[in-house]
Amino acid sequence: MLKHSNIDAVLKALAEPTRREILERLTQGPAGVSQLAEPFNMSLAAVVQHLQVLEECGLIKTEKIGRVRTCRIEPGGLGGLAQWIADRRIPAERRLDRLGDLLIEMDPEN
Amino acid sequence: MLKHSNIDAVLKALAEPTRREILERLTQGPAGVSQLAEPFNMSLAAVVQHLQVLEECGLIKTEKIGRVRTCRIEPGGLGGLAQWIADRRIPAERRLDRLGDLLIEMDPEN
């Protein structure tokens, strides 16, 4: 599970459309840097920079074997954000349930 | 459910710590603009700007009654992002399960 302080880094990483597309590509399987750069028509340097942001916040892992850097999704990397959202959805949804109950109670036809 | 195209706006809105804190405050219940501005030591104008971003992407709703604008959480506003994350977590986690199965099969003690 990611630390709460990481939520900021994960959200900032995901707020960039190219980084979301890279992540999306990696959910299909590991890929090399040049493979990732291809569909984006971007320089390798720009892709490497995006990969660094994704790796620093724990969403992906990269590993250099010889001259090739392979990137893969970090399983559970989105877990912290999923939990953060779940924690914030529950109180609001709960309050809505209570409002629903109240409206049912107040319904004169009930 | 939010449209997929809204994911970008929601992530950009949440990537700003102050907006997350405003959202956090609103999960406790509705609040007026000046009430929201207080803990942040921010100008009303700055808070209004953050509220606008949160409202435009469907995370909150604001309503002006007379001279007072009340802000409340939009139930389900985080639903689109939660779904987006769930959709991206499953393939990676599934692949990890398959790897686990493979390792069990390959285990000579099995």
Side-chain angles (χ1 to χ4, degrees):
Chain A
M1 166 87 76
L2 294 172
K3 281 173 301 188
H4 183 81
S5 60
N6 217 24
I7 292 299
D8 191 62
V10 169
L11 283 167
K12 281 190 168 70
L14 292 176
E16 220 292 317
T18 308
R19 284 197 286 266
R20 286 204 300 282
E21 283 187 63
I22 291 174
L23 196 74
E24 199 104 22
R25 165 63 189 82
L26 291 178
T27 60
Q28 309 306 313
V33 176
S34 47
Q35 244 178 310
L36 289 170
E38 229 176 274
F40 298 114
N41 200 16
M42 274 171 77
S43 71
L44 284 184
V47 171
V48 165
Q49 214 160 15
H50 283 312
L51 291 171
Q52 209 172 332
V53 174
L54 288 168
E55 186 164 26
E56 269 168 15
C57 72
L59 288 175
I60 68 163
K61 246 197 174 148
T62 77
E63 195 187 4
K64 200 165 184 177
I65 301 173
R67 287 170 57 193
V68 178
R69 181 172 294 277
T70 302
C71 313
R72 58 189 78 242
I73 212 95
E74 178 73 276
L78 285 169
L81 181 57
Q83 189 57 53
W84 185 87
I85 291 172
D87 291 346
R88 266 126 209 101
R89 289 186 76 193
I90 292 159
E93 249 99 293
R94 239 189 243 145
R95 241 191 328 279
L96 202 72
D97 284 348
R98 282 208 304 271
L99 182 67
D101 292 345
L102 194 69
L103 290 174
I104 289 165
E105 277 174 43
M106 285 166 68
D107 184 348
E109 289 186 11
N110 226 2
Chain B
M1 167 88 74
L2 295 175
K3 281 173 302 190
H4 182 80
S5 60
N6 216 22
I7 293 298
D8 191 63
V10 169
L11 283 167
K12 281 190 168 69
L14 292 177
E16 219 292 317
T18 307
R19 287 198 285 267
R20 285 204 301 282
E21 282 186 64
I22 291 174
L23 195 75
E24 199 105 21
R25 165 63 188 83
L26 291 177
T27 60
Q28 309 305 315
V33 176
S34 47
Q35 244 178 311
L36 289 170
E38 227 175 275
F40 298 113
N41 200 17
M42 274 171 78
S43 70
L44 284 183
V47 171
V48 165
Q49 216 160 13
H50 283 312
L51 291 171
Q52 210 173 331
V53 176
L54 288 168
E55 187 163 25
E56 269 167 17
C57 71
L59 288 175
I60 68 163
K61 246 195 175 151
T62 76
E63 195 188 6
K64 199 165 184 176
I65 301 171
R67 287 171 58 194
V68 178
R69 182 172 293 278
T70 302
C71 313
R72 59 188 78 243
I73 212 97
E74 179 72 276
L78 284 170
L81 181 58
Q83 190 57 52
W84 185 87
I85 291 172
D87 291 346
R88 264 127 210 100
R89 288 187 78 192
I90 292 160
E93 247 101 293
R94 238 190 242 145
R95 238 188 335 277
L96 202 72
D97 284 350
R98 282 208 303 273
L99 181 67
D101 292 347
L102 193 69
L103 289 175
I104 290 166
E105 275 173 44
M106 285 167 68
D107 185 348
E109 289 188 10
N110 227 0

